[in-house]
Amino acid sequence: MTLAAANEGLADLSNTLVYSAMAVYALTFLAYTAEWIFGSRSRVARTAAALTGGDAGEETAAVPAQRPAVTVRKGGGTSVLERPRIVSRSTTPSRDAVPDGPGAAGEDAQGDTYGRIAVSLTVLAFLLHMGAVVTRAVAVGRGPWGNMYEFSVALGVVGIAGYLGFLAARTPVRWLGLPLVTTVLLDLGLAVTVLYNESTQLVPALDSMWMWIHVPLAIVCGGLFYLGAVSAVLYLFRDRYEAKLAAGGQPGRLATSVLERLPSALSLDRFSYRVNAAVFPVWTFTIVAGAIWAETAWGRYWAWDPKETWAFITWVAYACYLHARATAGWKGRRAAYLAIAGIVCFLINYYGVNIFFDSLHGYGGV
């Protein structure tokens, strides 16, 4: 068997693994959906009870952990001071004690079973998905992100890997499962139907070691920024739900069933902030690495190419988000809107620039 035939066989195997992963993701989507459906049968009312001072809120509200006292010696005397608690407060202090919801399963045993099945299927789909990326890399003999098809497939892997990583660290993020798997299915469906491209080699100017630095980092940032954006979107719904309850309103039955099981608005806000804050320095380095690569390939660091311009706009959006989180008047909903604007800019940079703009970065074709 010739090398070309072997590479063609690996490319076919990669395609098969992508379709297999899609099939398992479809089953995963059904399992997560079943978790939410069965979880809706539970009667959870922690939020309203916490906001109105009811018994349920007293039972479920988090009790601050006791911290050791600090002993201070002065002039031979001794005084004991309590160690201060560091609290990240919401825009409405009365809502700081709102407990997190019980998750998609909503304390329903059958719903929890479907949730565990969904996580197991997510792991299986991820392994098939990762296998598709690795075999594609071997088949093309370079990084598996040389065109939009390959980039899209790799981007989905990062999102799922981040989600499973949080679960492995015992972070209660199973509520992310359904929106994430839905998006990955759409991403792969678009990749195999519209964006598919046969194995192509890079133009010599771009065949560089920076291909293994700049592009993978952009993929990692995109996948993790998406997790932060999902949390920001859910925060907007949960925040409105809590505000309505605090004002004495009565949300609809469907809204109550879904939003009551999510983490509190404060927890969603914190999760989004921590993800975006951790990824932002990496995105900054990604842009710097791209500029260095551009100087090596084209003899200039920056030329306001559409891809470069939108990468910078994305950086500005997330910089404004982080600044807003540090500014009292811009915390909460305004900051969440900026986080969502950031991921929108990233998607415009990827889909819009590559398809509709004439850019030096359109080297891989669609």
Side-chain angles (χ1 to χ4, degrees), residues 64-72 79-87:
Q66 295 295 324
R67 289 169 172 75
V70 181
T71 302
V72 181
S79 6
V80 178
L81 304 176
E82 291 295 325
R83 187 181 298 275
R85 288 195 299 123
I86 299 176
V87 181

Side-chain angles (χ1 to χ4, degrees), residues 7 10-11 13-15 17 130-140 144:
N7 289 339
L10 286 172
L13 175 60
S14 176
N15 295 338
L17 289 173
M130 177 61 76
V133 173
V134 172
T135 52
R136 179 80 175 191
V138 176
V140 299

Side-chain angles (χ1 to χ4, degrees), residues 153-176:
V153 173
L155 187 65
V157 165
V158 172
I160 296 295
Y163 169 66
L164 294 177
F166 282 118
L167 288 179
R170 299 188 179 280
T171 305
V173 294
R174 212 160 76 187
W175 46 270
L176 263 175

Side-chain angles (χ1 to χ4, degrees), residues 228-239:
V230 171
S231 183
V233 170
L234 293 178
Y235 162 79
L236 292 175
F237 286 102
R238 173 76 189 203
D239 179 69

Side-chain angles (χ1 to χ4, degrees), residues 43-261:
R43 296 291 180 265
V44 181
R46 292 189 174 97
T47 306
L51 290 171
T52 59
D55 293 339
E58 294 171 1
E59 292 173 1
T60 57
V63 179
Q66 295 295 324
R67 289 169 172 75
V70 181
T71 302
V72 181
R73 297 184 181 277
K74 270 189 185 177
T78 303
S79 6
V80 178
L81 304 176
E82 291 295 325
R83 187 181 298 275
R85 288 195 299 123
I86 299 176
V87 181
S88 176
R89 296 196 177 278
S90 66
T91 54
T92 308
S94 62
R95 287 164 51 190
D96 289 337
V98 173
D100 291 337
E107 299 179 340
D108 180 86
Q110 194 167 4
D112 184 65
T113 298
Y114 278 108
R116 293 176 184 275
I117 292 173
V119 172
S120 299
L121 289 172
T122 304
V123 174
L124 175 59
F126 169 75
L127 294 176
L128 293 170
H129 198 163
M130 177 61 76
V133 173
V134 172
T135 52
R136 179 80 175 191
V138 176
V140 299
R142 54 166 173 74
W145 37 70
N147 50 56
M148 289 186 71
Y149 166 75
E150 295 172 354
F151 192 102
S152 296
V153 173
L155 187 65
V157 165
V158 172
I160 296 295
Y163 169 66
L164 294 177
F166 282 118
L167 288 179
R170 299 188 179 280
T171 305
V173 294
R174 212 160 76 187
W175 46 270
L176 263 175
L178 182 58
L180 178 61
V181 168
T182 302
T183 307
V184 170
L185 263 176
L186 293 173
D187 172 60
L188 291 179
L190 185 64
V192 299
T193 57
V194 178
L195 303 178
Y196 183 75
N197 198 317
E198 295 292 340
S199 303
T200 55
Q201 296 303 316
L202 298 177
V203 296
L206 298 178
D207 190 7
S208 164
M209 61 173 248
W210 291 103
M211 176 74 173
W212 292 90
I213 300 174
H214 172 69
V215 184
L217 287 179
I219 293 172
V220 169
C221 290
L224 295 180
F225 274 147
Y226 176 73
L227 297 183
V230 171
S231 183
V233 170
L234 293 178
Y235 162 79
L236 292 175
F237 286 102
R238 173 76 189 203
D239 179 69
R240 187 175 297 276
Y241 169 73
E242 291 181 9
K244 189 170 185 177
L245 286 175
Q250 183 58 49
R253 184 174 180 181
L254 178 61
T256 299
S257 174
V258 173
L259 298 176
E260 188 65 44
R261 287 176 277 161

